[in-house]
Amino acid sequence: MPPQEKKWVGTIESTIMRIGEYSSWIYLFIGIIVAYEVASRYFFNSPTDWVEETSRLGMVWATFLLFPACMGRRQLISITLFSDAVGERAKVVLEGISFAIIALACAVVSFEALVAAIDAARVGRATASVLRIPYWLFYLPVAIGFFLFFVQAALELILLVATGQRRKLELAHEEI
């Protein structure tokens, strides 16, 4: 692959990985606020109004923004029944089909989530709690996460077709 192609591939992959790394810190934040809630509730008999909903919102953001980084590192669950039974060329074809299906599904989910976010913002939907968090804040990470997932899958498919070889074999599946 020419150096200019490697540069844009590396830029896309490092951006997706950085987003995944940053979003993983949300889980630490969730742990801290839940620990605060436990202490507040059980030691001081003063439960909070905001921890449960804030942690739920954080889980949505962290989870959906981590998906693309996990795929880039081959850390998603995969069933290898067929790929283990075929030769190397067929593995390339199966991986290409997988990436194409993933990209298509991610594009559809991302679009629908964006439509839902826009609709929720337009009508002013919010949670039925004290915080009244707008629902578009729950739909937006789904749209962004699946868009990034689409980008990662499309990138993998493009590189697979361009090179005819599977990438990142060092990150192969684990045997159970």
Side-chain angles (χ1 to χ4, degrees), residues 152-168:
Q152 182 69 44
L155 176 67
E156 296 288 348
L157 181 59
I158 289 167
L159 294 173
L160 183 70
V161 169
T163 64
Q165 297 177 351
R166 297 170 65 213
R167 298 176 63 223
K168 301 181 181 181

Side-chain angles (χ1 to χ4, degrees), residues 59-129:
M59 286 266 242
V60 171
W61 276 91
T63 300
F64 286 103
L65 293 181
L66 274 169
F67 279 164
C70 289
M71 186 173 93
R73 293 194 42 82
R74 303 296 192 269
Q75 292 177 325
L76 298 177
I77 295 172
S78 62
I79 299 172
T80 58
L81 178 68
F82 295 119
S83 63
D84 285 347
V86 297
E88 195 58 38
R89 185 72 188 137
K91 286 180 183 180
V92 171
V93 172
L94 286 173
E95 195 166 82
I97 292 169
S98 296
F99 287 138
I101 292 169
I102 290 169
L104 178 64
C106 289
V108 170
V109 172
S110 180
F111 176 77
E112 291 298 328
L114 183 61
V115 168
I118 292 169
D119 185 51
R122 188 176 45 79
V123 298
R125 285 187 57 214
T127 59
S129 68

